[in-house]
Amino acid sequence: MAGHSKFKNIMHRKGAQDAKRAKMFAKLGREITVAAKLGMPDPAMNPRLRTAIMAAKAQSMPKDRIERAIASSQGGDADSYDEMRYEGFGPGGTALIVEALTDNRNRSASDIRAIFSKNGGNMGESGSANFMFDHVGMIVFKADAIDADTLFEAAVDAGAENVESDDENHEVYTAFDDLHTVVKALEDQFGEPETAKLAWKAKDLIAISEEDAQKLLKLLDALEDNDDVQDVYGNYDISDEILAKLAAE
């Protein structure tokens, strides 16, 4: 079950978000509002809302903004958002899944299609890429917060399917329907995780060249900059050497 994690290389990079904190908080707030509107405004009774709040806290979103996002879901004039998933392909033959919350489906689809085409990719039809991924639960703890072996044993006992650890994080993977059960069991032992969410995990990774990596990262940046996009997942594997070289440019 244990192995070196590359999921941080599958999910879109988060480092650039420090310069986009307001946009990030807006997206986190939107997820909280949607979760509270679809379920109950009490996180103890709404697993999706609990995980949305965890994600917001992990990014240091102020408590008052979290509370306002929950409160806004209960008004009769609360914004209505549709959950959308777009699939496409980027440089180097990579597959991408884009999750969005939008109040205008036509605008969102048009904008995301344009982002793909302007950055060396193309948006595919629904189902064109998701078969290359598993839809799983993902729970992340900081590496220095828990001993790897201790977490491994606890995760297995709680019903997790896989645990991957590296120098930065422990990543616990669960079946789609088991996420909240495993989160609760681990939270009782180790406290709140950094992240707990449903995610798309690539079945196999594609190693890409420096040239394709440079193009792909521009595509990912453009997707993440879109107001409707919540998360981007891909099956790319960019080597540490290439990442370091691109970061130095």
Side-chain angles (χ1 to χ4, degrees), residues 53-65:
I53 291 173
M54 282 183 198
K57 287 181 176 179
Q59 297 297 333
S60 302
M61 185 170 174
K63 182 180 179 180
D64 65 321
R65 291 198 60 165

Side-chain angles (χ1 to χ4, degrees), residues 5-7 9-10 94 132-133 201-208 234-238:
S5 168
K6 290 192 176 180
F7 196 73
N9 203 8
I10 299 170
T94 54
M132 292 181 252
F133 298 79
K201 189 173 189 295
K203 296 177 180 178
D204 297 293
L205 298 178
I206 297 176
I208 59 175
N235 65 349
Y236 54 87
D237 182 11
I238 305 175

Side-chain angles (χ1 to χ4, degrees), residues 159-174:
E161 292 190 337
N162 192 30
V163 180
E164 300 180 357
S165 297
D166 61 19
D167 293 339
E168 297 180 7
N169 296 312
H170 304 298
E171 290 158 359
V172 179
Y173 297 104
T174 76

Side-chain angles (χ1 to χ4, degrees), residues 89-149:
F89 301 90
T94 54
L96 300 175
I97 292 179
V98 181
E99 291 189 331
L101 289 173
T102 180
D103 56 0
N104 187 319
R105 292 188 181 206
N106 291 335
R107 181 201 66 225
S108 181
S110 176
D111 288 350
I112 291 172
R113 187 181 301 278
I115 290 170
F116 269 103
S117 64
K118 289 177 181 177
N119 291 278
N122 62 284
M123 195 165 84
E125 299 296 324
S126 177
S128 61
N130 68 1
F131 68 93
M132 292 181 252
F133 298 79
D134 291 318
H135 205 189
V136 299
M138 181 186 72
I139 308 160
V140 179
F141 289 93
K142 288 292 187 183
D144 58 3
I146 312 166
D147 174 74
D149 290 337

Side-chain angles (χ1 to χ4, degrees), residues 62-105:
K63 182 180 179 180
D64 65 321
R65 291 198 60 165
I66 294 174
E67 292 174 346
R68 285 203 305 271
I70 296 173
S72 70
S73 71
Q74 303 306 299
D77 58 348
D79 291 333
S80 179
Y81 295 104
D82 292 321
E83 297 180 273
M84 304 299 297
R85 186 181 75 237
Y86 305 99
E87 301 172 36
F89 301 90
T94 54
L96 300 175
I97 292 179
V98 181
E99 291 189 331
L101 289 173
T102 180
D103 56 0
N104 187 319
R105 292 188 181 206

